[in-house]
Amino acid sequence: MANLVASGLIEVVPGLMIWTLIAFAITFFVLKRYAFGPIQKTIDERRERIRAAVDEADHAREEARELLEQHRQLIADAKGESTAILADARKVADAQIERAKEEAEAERVRRLEETRRQIEAETKRSLDLIRSEVADLTLEATARVTGKVLDAEDQRRLIDEAISELDFSTLEKEGA
């Protein structure tokens, strides 16, 4: 401390103090007028740009949230739509399968009916053929037994008698 007092730095000199205060006031006035204003203006502009950037970032974040929500909604709608499409496809497939079954059943019934009709027709034709053969055999047997040829009326009467004695009902029942 003795060195500081000896050097003269801590001595109070009133003239030097006044000139230091005047120089400080002039420097402060010049700085305030020419430096602090533009510096403050630059700081305010920067502050405004930062605030605008923050507002823009908030706006972009909000827009991104909205887009994300729309995207999620679109995905949900697409899932629902795909589920509906699959359900419709299943319904169509089931209907086609059912229709194919019905057509196959109708075809089976039609073929069975056609086969039954063919069997009935074939049975009737066979019975008619058997009756005709029986009639011919009866005529031939009659001609051999009696030794004479009968006229048409006698032949018809003998055939009817022979056929009435035969039991074709069992053949008809077996055919049906």
Side-chain angles (χ1 to χ4, degrees), residues 1-175:
M1 248 263 185
N3 279 342
L4 287 177
V5 175
S7 68
L9 286 177
I10 299 189
E11 277 180 48
V12 178
V13 177
L16 181 62
M17 262 173 77
I18 291 175
W19 282 111
T20 302
L21 285 174
I22 290 174
F24 178 76
I26 291 171
T27 305
F28 182 75
F29 175 75
V30 169
L31 285 176
K32 184 175 181 181
R33 180 162 185 122
Y34 297 105
F36 291 157
I39 289 172
Q40 186 64 40
K41 183 179 174 185
T42 304
I43 289 172
D44 289 344
E45 288 173 357
R46 185 167 181 204
R47 183 179 298 136
E48 185 61 32
R49 281 194 313 266
I50 290 171
R51 189 175 53 74
V54 167
D55 288 345
E56 189 176 321
D58 287 344
H59 179 70
R61 184 179 309 117
E62 195 60 38
E63 191 174 310
R65 281 188 191 135
E66 288 175 10
L67 288 174
L68 180 62
E69 187 60 35
Q70 288 175 356
H71 180 69
R72 287 179 180 159
Q73 184 63 37
L74 286 174
I75 288 175
D77 291 347
K79 284 181 181 178
E81 196 172 309
S82 68
T83 302
I85 289 171
L86 284 174
D88 288 345
R90 284 189 187 114
K91 286 179 185 177
V92 168
D94 290 344
Q96 287 178 346
I97 289 170
E98 188 62 32
R99 189 180 70 223
K101 285 180 181 179
E102 289 172 1
E103 287 175 359
E105 180 63 21
E107 180 66 18
R108 186 186 70 79
V109 168
R110 185 190 64 77
R111 286 187 178 179
L112 284 174
E113 185 63 29
E114 181 67 27
T115 303
R116 187 186 60 75
R117 275 184 285 203
Q118 287 175 354
I119 290 171
E120 286 176 3
E122 195 62 34
T123 303
K124 184 178 178 189
R125 192 176 61 78
S126 296
L127 288 174
D128 289 343
L129 186 61
I130 290 171
R131 284 185 180 128
S132 173
E133 285 294 319
V134 167
D136 290 344
L137 290 173
T138 305
L139 285 177
E140 191 176 317
T142 304
R144 285 188 185 168
V145 170
T146 60
K148 65 176 187 172
V149 177
L150 301 174
D151 64 358
E153 188 177 312
D154 289 335
Q155 287 178 358
R156 179 62 24 214
R157 185 180 47 79
L158 285 174
I159 290 170
D160 288 340
E161 287 176 10
I163 290 175
S164 65
E165 291 174 8
L166 295 175
D167 187 16
F168 286 108
S169 63
T170 56
L171 292 176
E172 289 177 353
K173 288 180 185 173
E174 289 176 7

